[in-house]
Structures are given as structure tokens and as C-alpha cells.
Amino acid sequence: MARIVKVEADMVSIGMPDGSLVTVPRAEIPFSVKEGMAVEAYRDAAGHVLVTRGSSKRVSKIIYILLAVFLGNFGIHRFYAGHTMAGICYLIATGIGALLAFIGIGLVLEGIVWLVCLYDAIKAAFRTSDAEGRIEI
């Protein structure tokens, strides 16, 4: 686990686990940082440093996208990413949609859930992955 060593207006210095010091532009870190904060720092295929919160889960980009597209209505991609409550909400919405499908309202609900899953997949496709093909969700 890396630690934030110094925070300036436009640059952040990060102490890596191997003892090296890396400087990252502040604009590339998508959350607020404080000195001493534990973060995870990865290098992508191009050698850029990606910084995530220490408690975030990193998942395979390809698996997440496939789960979102093919099993998204059941919330499987959200369970895979560690967002259990979001996955349960997807399950409930799909269940209600299935029960109401005979009057047409359920089909609209299922369509909305599918569009949200498609949005999740597209959003994940454009996230920068690390050298192992993992993204932060």
C-alpha cells in the first residue's frame, strides 16, 4: 500500500511500497487526498501511475463488461464489483418487472434496468485499466 507524502496545489507525491517516490498531477487523482492517506498506486501498460483509494476494489475490465451486458438485469456485475446493495436493487427491479410484465409496465422497467446496465458497461469500457487489465469500480 502506498502513502500520500506531500500534497501541493497541482502535484501529489506518493511513497510507493518499494521505497520509491512518484509525483502525480493532482488532476489525475479522482478523489480528495490528504498527507498520510493510504492509497493504492498501479502502473498501466504505458507506465502511467493510476491512484485509487485504498479501500476500493479492482476488478477485471473484460469480465465486468461481459457480466453487465449479459447478466446485468440480475445485478451480477454489481455483485462482482463488491456493491452488494446495488446488486440487490437490480434483482428487486428485475423481479418487479417480471411480475408486472403482463400489464406492460414491467417491460418498461426491464428496459430501464437494461439501459442502466448498458451505461455501466460503456462507462467501464472507457475507464483506464492497469497493466493487469483491472479497473476500479
Side-chain angles (χ1 to χ4, degrees):
M1 180 95 27
R3 290 219 174 262
I4 303 292
V5 176
K6 186 176 183 183
V7 178
E8 297 175 353
D10 57 345
M11 299 299 278
V12 176
S13 298
I14 302 170
M16 302 296 280
D18 63 2
S20 63
L21 188 65
V22 177
T23 303
V24 179
R26 175 66 189 96
E28 292 183 13
I29 302 176
F31 54 90
S32 61
V33 294
K34 293 184 275 185
E35 289 183 14
M37 175 186 245
V39 295
E40 292 191 32
Y42 301 92
R43 292 197 185 275
D44 65 6
H48 297 95
V49 177
L50 305 173
V51 181
T52 62
R53 290 186 179 119
S55 62
S56 65
K57 183 173 181 180
R58 299 186 63 80
V59 297
S60 169
K61 183 177 188 175
I62 299 297
I63 292 174
Y64 183 84
I65 292 169
L66 291 173
L67 288 174
V69 171
F70 294 110
L71 297 171
N73 275 31
F74 301 106
I76 303 301
H77 65 297
R78 303 304 277 170
F79 286 114
Y80 174 66
H83 301 151
T84 307
M85 286 307 296
I88 290 171
C89 290
Y90 277 88
L91 278 174
I92 291 171
T94 298
I96 291 171
L99 291 174
L100 297 176
F102 65 93
I103 59 174
I105 296 172
L107 297 176
V108 172
L109 182 59
E110 289 296 323
I112 292 170
V113 171
W114 188 83
L115 286 173
V116 172
C117 294
L118 185 62
Y119 171 76
D120 286 343
I122 292 170
K123 189 170 68 171
F126 285 99
R127 286 187 186 252
T128 304
S129 59
D130 61 13
E132 297 172 356
R134 298 189 174 281
I135 58 173
E136 176 187 358
I137 297 293

